[in-house]
Each structure stands twice: as C-alpha cells, then as structure tokens.
Amino acid sequence: MCVTVVGSVAFDALETPHGKRERILGGATTHFALAASFFTDVRIVGVVGDDFGPEELAVYERRGNIDLSDLMRVPGERSFFWAGRYEDDMQVAHTLDTQLNVFATFDPQLSPAACASSSVFLANIQPDVQRRVRAQCAGASLAGLDSMNYWIESARDSLLETMRTVDAIVLNDAEVKMLTGEPNLARGARWIRELGPRILVVKQGSYGACMVTDAGFFFVPGFPLELVVDPTGAGDAFAGGFFGYLDSHGDGDPSEGCLRRAAVYGSVLASFAIEDFGSERLQRLTRDEIVTRYGEFRRLTSCEHAPLRQPALV
Amino acid sequence: MCVTVVGSVAFDALETPHGKRERILGGATTHFALAASFFTDVRIVGVVGDDFGPEELAVYERRGNIDLSDLMRVPGERSFFWAGRYEDDMQVAHTLDTQLNVFATFDPQLSPAACASSSVFLANIQPDVQRRVRAQCAGASLAGLDSMNYWIESARDSLLETMRTVDAIVLNDAEVKMLTGEPNLARGARWIRELGPRILVVKQGSYGACMVTDAGFFFVPGFPLELVVDPTGAGDAFAGGFFGYLDSHGDGDPSEGCLRRAAVYGSVLASFAIEDFGSERLQRLTRDEIVTRYGEFRRLTSCEHAPLRQPALV
C-alpha cells in the first residue's frame, strides 16, 4: 500500500507569538508525508530548485518509507518560498511574501510507480493540475483533495470539476462557507457531498474537525494544548494522518468505524504538528506518542470516563 | 431535589434570517427553568411587571414542577425588555434595545424554601446581586453562575469575588478570553479554575461546548442542525439541562461520568432551544425527544459507530 501526495515542497519563513524561523523546510507535501509515513508508504510528487540540498532530503529519508523518485529538481532555479505571520489567537495566517519560483510551471508527469499508488492526495495546488494528476492515478482506490480560498475565487469551475473526481474533500470551515455560500455547516456539507465525494472533512481550527459521510456527522475536538507554537501545516498533517491510516487499513471502501478512527489519527498528527515550528515536531515524533495521544483524544469525548479499547496503530 | 434559578424574566423582540417575533416570553430564567424542569423541580427567583399575565404564567405552570412563589410582581411597572437581531451566521446577537424596567432595582430576598434548594444557578445579572443570592442559599450543595462581557468590563472585581463562591462557571469562549486575557482555551480555563470553581463550562456557539474539571477536558460538539431559527437562550437552556441533570443525580459531588452526561444533556436542550424562536421549542419538547437526541449526540463522537448504552433520563 502506498499513498501518493502531490503539492508544494517549500521553504517557509514563519513568525508567531512564540518565535520565528527564517527559512525552514515546509510545503503541504512535507507535513502530509511525515504524518502519513507513520501508517503507510508515501511517495511525494513535487518540484524543488537548487536550494534544496542534502539536509532537506535527509528529513524525508530518515523516515525510511518516503519515496522521492517523483520529486523533480530544476537546475538554476529556486524552490517555492512562503513567509507568514500569526497573531496572538493563532487562527489566521497573514501572508507576508510568496515566491512561486519552480512551482509556477508545476505540471507533473507521474512515474509508473506513482500512477499505481493505492491512494492519492491532491494537496492545495491549481485545480487543473490536481485533475491531471488524478487522471494519471486512475487506479487509486481512494482519492482526496485540499484547496484554498484563492482557487475557490479564481478557479471555481475547475475546482468543482476536480472535486467531482475524488472520494474525499478536506477544507476548512471558512472555505466551505465561501465555496457553498452557506453559513450553516450542515447545509454546506450537504451541498459539497451532492457533488459526488462521499467523504467531507471540515477543519475547524482550534475547535477540531468534523467528518461527514453517508452515516452522518463525526466530530473530533481540537486537542487542548496550553502552548501552540505554530499552526502551519496542521491541516496537511491532519490529511496525512487521515489518508495514511485509511491507505493502510483499506481497499478504498473503508468502514465508518475505520473512517472515524482515521479522523482521530488525523487530529492526533495535527495536534503534534502545532507544538513546534514547521515540521520540527513531526520529525522527532514517535509511534508511542501517537498511540498515547489517540487514547487521550478518545477520552476527550467519552462519557464513560473509563479506559477505552486501544486499536492497533497499523 | 430542587434547583433555584435567579435572573431575568423578560419580553424579547427577536429578528433572525428566519423571521421575527415582536414580543415573546424570554429571559435567562425562562430558558433555564423549562430545560431543567425535565430533570428536577425548579424555582424561579425574578421580577416582572403588570404586563406579565396569565398567558406567560401558563408557560411555566404547564410543566408542573416550576415554582413561581419567588417571582415578584411590581404593580404599575413593566417587565424587562430586550430587542436583538442576528445576522446570517447566527453567531453574534446585536442588541437593538434594552429596557431594564422592574429589573433595574432587582435585589431579591429569597423565601425559606428557595434558600433551602439543593442547587442554585445565578444567571447573568449584576455580580453583587449574584453574590447576595448565593449567600442566602448557603446550604446548596451545588452553585453555578453565568455572566457576560458587560459585567466583565464594568464589575470585574465583584465578578471575580462571586466566582470564588460557586462550584461551576458557565461562560462563552469570548467571555473567557476577555476575563483572562488568554486567547488559548486551555490556559484560560486553568486561570479561571485557579480562582476556586472546580467545574468550568465554556460555550463555543455552533462548535458546541467544553467542560473542564480535575479529570481534564470534555467536549460536546454542536448538533449539526440544517436550520437554526434563533440562538437566543441556547446558553441558558444548556445551563438548565446541565444543572437540572446534576441536581437530580447528585449530592453536590457528582462523579466525572455524571458531569459528562450532564454536559451532553445541556447540549441536547440547547440544540432544541435554537430550533424555534425564544422558548417556543422547549415549551413543546418531550422527554422522548430528549432521550433520542442524547443517543444522537453520543454517536457524533463515537468511533465504534455502534449503538451506545442509553442511561435513564432521570
């Protein structure tokens, strides 16, 4: 089993109330791949420049199951760069700078191995490109996508067309409202699922996440951390945990129980991601920590307040 | 067992995207009492004017266990009146008019029966008055309070002094941030519990509610209704379900499991309250509907996705 993720590999400059980083490894695929690698094999489809060196490569290679054969390197150019700042409440990222660089013309041709992946996740990139990648992974039994306000506004029709080709959509609540015109979560969720995708995950920031399927609504609260250092990558870490768990447990037709456990694992990975800058926390995360926090998450909504059966991680 | 609630009895003018009401029965004690009456006996301590007639009295009397002996009537004056409007997202109430009328000089002397209640809830009124009522109910084994931004700003020291005299605090997340200066929920919750109250409930609007006790955090999501008609009174209905259930199940020292079930029942009552204007939905609510929705709430966070043990309502 293997999940292929296509999207940005980047350098980020980050500033939060708890400090700053001038230039650290980031991008949606980085957070996704590190999170998913605890559950299944991962393949990154992306593009970088000359500034991407051995130190960055080592971050993925240390995990032992992240394949970089589909990571293109463009000589003489620089990698995608993003600079952002968070205010006190950590809810909204203010973009200070965006340099697309090699990413501006990103339109990947996947290797046969990537095309043959059991799952594919289309991280937040131009919806036409997402759709062309989806078409190349026609045999994937589970396909998901993320997007953002920029594409909802500037490429709405293409985004809707792409959404119709996947099984699972991951958006935040502001994006759901913008896309559907519905301030009400339940009506907005119905609108999106009527496009075709049977699984919708609505990320709700510090409030957690909500999953909607044929079986109804499932909610995972935000983990009540006293110190949130940097929210960057939380959504991608969620997606990595979610699709990584599903890829390792399914044949593309996961049970409702499996989907719900996947949503909790996604929340577990997101909760660790925000404990340090960029992907620093995921880089030093252990399987034991994941298992422990899964149990803590379950107790956050348990009325029985007794030890809960702990499922095997993989 | 009996819970005494002290606070406003009012007439409300309400305007939401789903319609309007020119003048309907409202006030914190109305929503609280109707909700709590499904679990235990209730006693209202409040004040009304000549405009409060048989039609209003009948709303409480139909429940059969709401005692109005401590509801004072002031001849020649009018009841408290509030007019508010909600925008599309139903998150924020915009006050259009407030007429305190009889409520301006409200400072109740409780009857011996009210003083002897097993529980007391100090709904959102001036904190000095809350504290004087609390002192009269010295024997209550469980005391709780609600407040609002106005008192946090204008009577902060008195509010903090009152908070130290109760077991349970109910506030919304904006009020927690304003009171503690902490944008982080976990740190804000710790700050408040260090004042003394062992139970803190943070209402999170459409995201649900969070309870913090010595055992940690417990989250109940917002019920995913497709149609929210009027959020007025949701917080008071939550408090009524919460304290009503606790009063009926405890001796003032409820177990963590009991507290968590109370938080779910509070959420159940709040979810019904917002289905219609003012208290109209609670007035026609049935015990069977409460039991059914309790099960639906439990499934919203269950990973097992199987029928859950249903506790007896009372």
Side-chain angles (χ1 to χ4, degrees), chain B residues 233-313:
Chain B
D236 299 309
F238 178 99
F242 183 75
F243 286 96
Y245 181 83
L246 288 179
D247 184 69
S248 73
H249 274 76
D251 52 359
D253 187 21
S255 70
E256 179 68 14
C258 185
L259 284 165
R260 290 178 173 215
R261 288 185 288 275
V264 178
Y265 278 115
S267 303
V268 166
L269 272 294
S271 76
F272 281 116
I274 63 182
E275 288 184 354
D276 207 340
F277 282 95
S279 69
E280 292 176 4
R281 185 67 180 90
L282 295 190
Q283 289 181 40
R284 61 176 190 272
L285 185 63
T286 69
R287 180 173 291 244
D288 282 351
E289 289 176 315
I290 293 174
V291 171
T292 299
R293 187 160 290 179
Y294 182 95
E296 291 167 348
F297 259 100
R298 296 302 301 131
R299 279 189 288 279
L300 291 178
T301 59
S302 166
C303 272
E304 283 63 40
H305 195 60
L308 286 152
R309 189 174 57 87
Q310 183 77 7
L313 182 53

